[in-house]
Amino acid sequence: MNLTEHHQRLNKELHDIINDYDQFKQRINERKQNPYNHVLIKEIDQWERTSIEKIQQKAKDSREIVTKSSQTCINDNEKKYNDLTEQIQQLDKENDFNESNFNYLTNQLTKITEKLNNPSTISIEQDSQAFINDVSIILSKKPKFNKYKQNAITVAGGNKQGHELNQLIGPMGIFIDEKKNIFIADTHNHRIIEWKCDAKEGHITAGGNGRGDRMNQLNQPQDVIVDPKNHSIIIADYSNRRVIQWLNQNQQILIDNIDCYSLAVDQHGFLYVSDCEKNEVRRWKIGESNNEGMIVAGGNGKGDQLNQLNFPTFIFVDENQSVYVSDMSNHRVMKWRKDAREGRIVAVGNGKGANLNQLSEPQGVIVDHFGQIYVADYGNARIMRWYEEKEEGEIIVGRNAEGNQLNDPCGLSFDDEENLYVVDSHNHRIQKFEIIV
């Protein structure tokens, strides 16, 4: 290569470099003129759009939750108002009223007015630790630690064991309707007896025809519920291994060949039954012919794993179709969320015992509007209360400093004023523990 060619090649390379520098200068000028045209700015813009969409969706969801909760509160208060109106009309029609009726109706109107004006089961919680405050709607999460009078009122039975209408023998489950009438599984009298509010004796609504397996007989009924749709009585006819429905003295077997211990019904019309021999809880649609049902808890043999049960007794179903199970021989209470493959322990799991972190053969279980779990601690003759996240429970009534008030408690229930009802099985009576307002 001669000197001229070499010089020409260097000139070309120099011009290429100058062009590159010119292009770089042009890009700098473009960036200066439009500083927001940056790849990271574009990512930030996209983040902003996505975040706004999420915030708008969260706000929309939260508004829907508040609206739904508010409507539920209004509907509940309207129902209670209609019930009170019906009672007033009945009193007026029968011309049968006294000062006690007036006081009761006035107090009830005051209570539902307060609940309508000051709903206490919903609040807003903000996460101040987040870069952008996250808003959560809290429904019934703030526990309201109700206190109960320790001196119970006997509202059914209590006249020693016997077969008369003012007596019971070893009752197990109960159901309380909106008028505070108590339906009792009078187990060893082989009958269901209804005890009107403030009545001195009950009347037989099912069974009562001796122990047997005929359609008009029962054999150690363990539990009873009332179908809200048609007010029929559904019974866990334990020793006849069937779930039977009574409607105006007409009987129909809903489920057979089942070791049924306890019953529950949810707001969608599903019937839940605990099977203490198969160690499972199944769900049926009331009125449908499918007799297999769907397993909603247990069903994996007897055991103490999270997907197992060991002699499940009483059950409770909440508004989300979560099933609470008294897992008696495991001395614990389990919660199975809808469609879950295993449950989780929500009350103890520390073996049988009498400490505050133990149970002994639990029976009745109910959950209040604040998510607090009430358990009939059968072997310890006491009623315990747990909040899901707590490691220990507290004694509500029963074996405490004031003495042993209960003898083998079984079924539990609330009335619409949150008074607590306990089946005091071996004292052959139903006890009402009034809430302290």
Side-chain angles (χ1 to χ4, degrees):
M1 178 182 296
N2 58 36
L3 184 61
T4 302
E5 290 177 349
H6 178 69
H7 184 70
Q8 289 175 345
R9 183 175 65 79
L10 290 178
N11 279 335
K12 182 179 181 303
E13 290 180 358
L14 176 61
H15 282 95
D16 289 341
I17 293 174
I18 292 172
N19 286 335
D20 290 342
Y21 270 76
D22 288 342
Q23 290 178 12
F24 183 80
K25 177 64 175 177
Q26 185 179 352
R27 285 199 296 269
I28 288 177
N29 290 335
E30 289 174 353
R31 292 285 177 87
K32 288 173 67 177
Q33 293 172 2
N34 189 7
Y36 293 102
N37 189 21
H38 190 286
V39 63
L40 293 181
I41 295 295
K42 293 179 180 179
E43 290 186 22
I44 292 171
D45 291 343
Q46 182 60 47
W47 168 82
E48 180 184 29
R49 288 191 293 270
T50 303
S51 298
I52 290 172
E53 289 174 1
K54 288 182 178 179
I55 291 171
Q56 290 174 333
Q57 185 62 47
K58 186 64 178 285
K60 179 183 177 183
D61 293 343
S62 298
R63 290 189 194 99
E64 289 178 355
I65 293 172
V66 171
T67 302
K68 183 178 178 181
S69 175
S70 176
Q71 191 59 53
T72 299
C73 178
I74 292 171
N75 292 341
D76 289 345
N77 280 288
E78 185 178 32
K79 181 178 182 300
K80 290 177 182 178
Y81 168 80
N82 291 335
D83 290 342
L84 289 171
T85 302
E86 183 180 332
Q87 293 178 45
I88 292 171
Q89 292 172 346
Q90 189 67 26
L91 287 171
D92 187 39
K93 179 180 178 181
E94 297 176 355
N95 196 27
D96 180 20
F97 48 84
N98 52 42
E99 187 174 347
S100 176
N101 298 134
F102 294 148
N103 291 337
Y104 168 76
L105 292 170
T106 301
N107 289 337
Q108 290 303 302
L109 182 58
T110 300
K111 287 181 178 180
I112 62 175
T113 301
E114 289 177 353
K115 287 185 178 180
L116 183 63
N117 293 336
N118 301 295
S120 60
T121 59
I122 185 167
S123 62
I124 291 179
E125 182 178 85
Q126 296 192 42
D127 182 5
S128 60
Q129 301 299 315
F131 174 65
I132 298 176
N133 287 2
D134 187 18
V135 173
S136 297
I137 303 299
I138 307 300
L139 293 173
S140 303
K141 283 296 184 182
K142 295 182 178 179
K144 178 182 176 183
F145 296 108
N146 293 335
K147 300 288 185 182
Y148 295 90
K149 296 179 181 179
Q150 295 299 297
N151 294 321
I153 301 171
T154 299
V155 292
N159 298 298
K160 300 182 179 180
Q161 62 176 323
H163 308 291
E164 302 300 323
L165 291 178
N166 67 343
Q167 295 178 307
L168 303 168
I169 302 180
M172 293 291 288
I174 56 173
F175 181 93
I176 301 176
D177 68 13
E178 67 276 3
K179 297 180 180 179
K180 296 186 178 63
N181 300 322
I182 309 170
F183 294 79
I184 307 166
D186 190 8
T187 303
H188 295 287
N189 273 325
H190 313 291
R191 65 189 184 185
I192 304 299
I193 190 163
E194 180 185 1
W195 217 285
K196 298 286 188 182
C197 182
D198 298 327
K200 300 297 182 183
E201 64 180 29
H203 72 273
I204 299 169
T205 58
N209 299 302
R211 181 177 187 173
D213 60 2
R214 298 198 306 270
M215 289 295 287
N216 69 341
Q217 292 180 307
L218 299 172
N219 190 349
Q220 294 186 330
Q222 298 277 14
D223 202 7
V224 58
I225 58 174
V226 177
D227 185 348
K229 290 187 177 179
N230 58 13
H231 300 287
S232 65
I233 301 168
I234 302 175
I235 306 161
D237 193 9
Y238 179 70
S239 291
N240 279 327
R241 304 186 69 248
R242 65 189 183 188
V243 176
I244 189 167
Q245 182 181 48
W246 285 57
L247 177 59
N248 300 324
Q249 295 302 312
N250 295 315
Q251 302 87 31
Q252 176 188 0
I253 296 175
L254 300 180
I255 309 165
D256 58 8
N257 192 31
I258 182 172
D259 294 285
C260 47
Y261 198 103
S262 178
L263 307 172
V265 63
D266 68 19
Q267 58 188 350
H268 304 289
F270 286 100
L271 175 66
Y272 299 73
V273 187
S274 63
D275 188 325
C276 58
E277 289 299 318
K278 290 185 178 178
N279 298 293
E280 64 186 24
V281 179
R282 286 182 181 258
R283 183 182 74 195
W284 282 262
K285 184 70 174 179
I286 297 177
E288 292 186 356
S289 59
N290 178 13
N291 202 36
E292 292 299 317
M294 173 186 293
I295 295 176
V296 293
N300 297 295
K302 179 189 295 187
D304 61 2
Q305 301 302 306
L306 293 179
N307 68 343
Q308 295 179 307
L309 300 169
N310 188 353
F311 207 93
T313 56
F314 284 87
I315 56 176
F316 177 88
V317 181
D318 68 15
E319 61 185 9
N320 299 315
Q321 295 182 302
S322 293
V323 182
Y324 295 77
V325 188
S326 273
D327 192 10
M328 190 186 79
S329 294
N330 282 325
H331 313 288
R332 66 188 185 184
V333 176
M334 302 290 291
K335 177 181 179 180
W336 290 63
R337 296 187 183 277
K338 184 182 178 183
D339 300 325
R341 294 187 178 183
E342 63 180 30
R344 87 187 155 90
I345 301 170
V346 292
V348 301
N350 299 305
K352 182 178 181 180
N355 295 323
L356 292 180
N357 66 345
Q358 293 179 305
L359 292 170
S360 177
E361 300 178 346
Q363 291 279 338
V365 58
I366 52 176
V367 182
D368 67 14
H369 295 298
F370 301 94
Q372 297 170 122
I373 304 158
Y374 293 70
V375 186
D377 193 6
Y378 180 87
N380 286 321
R382 64 190 185 183
I383 308 302
M384 299 287 290
R385 178 168 64 195
W386 255 270
Y387 198 61
E388 263 191 51
E389 299 171 355
K390 300 295 183 180
E391 295 182 0
E392 288 187 350
E394 61 176 325
I395 300 172
I396 300 303
V397 295
R399 192 184 298 276
N400 54 28
E402 299 184 23
N404 183 7
Q405 299 170 313
L406 302 172
N407 188 358
D408 294 342
C410 290
L412 298 177
S413 187
F414 291 121
D415 63 20
D416 59 2
E417 296 178 332
E418 298 183 72
N419 297 307
L420 177 65
Y421 294 73
V422 180
V423 178
D424 193 8
S425 182
H426 284 165
N427 281 324
H428 317 290
R429 63 188 183 183
I430 310 301
Q431 297 289 80
K432 175 184 177 182
F433 292 90
E434 292 185 316
I435 190 172
I436 299 174
V437 181

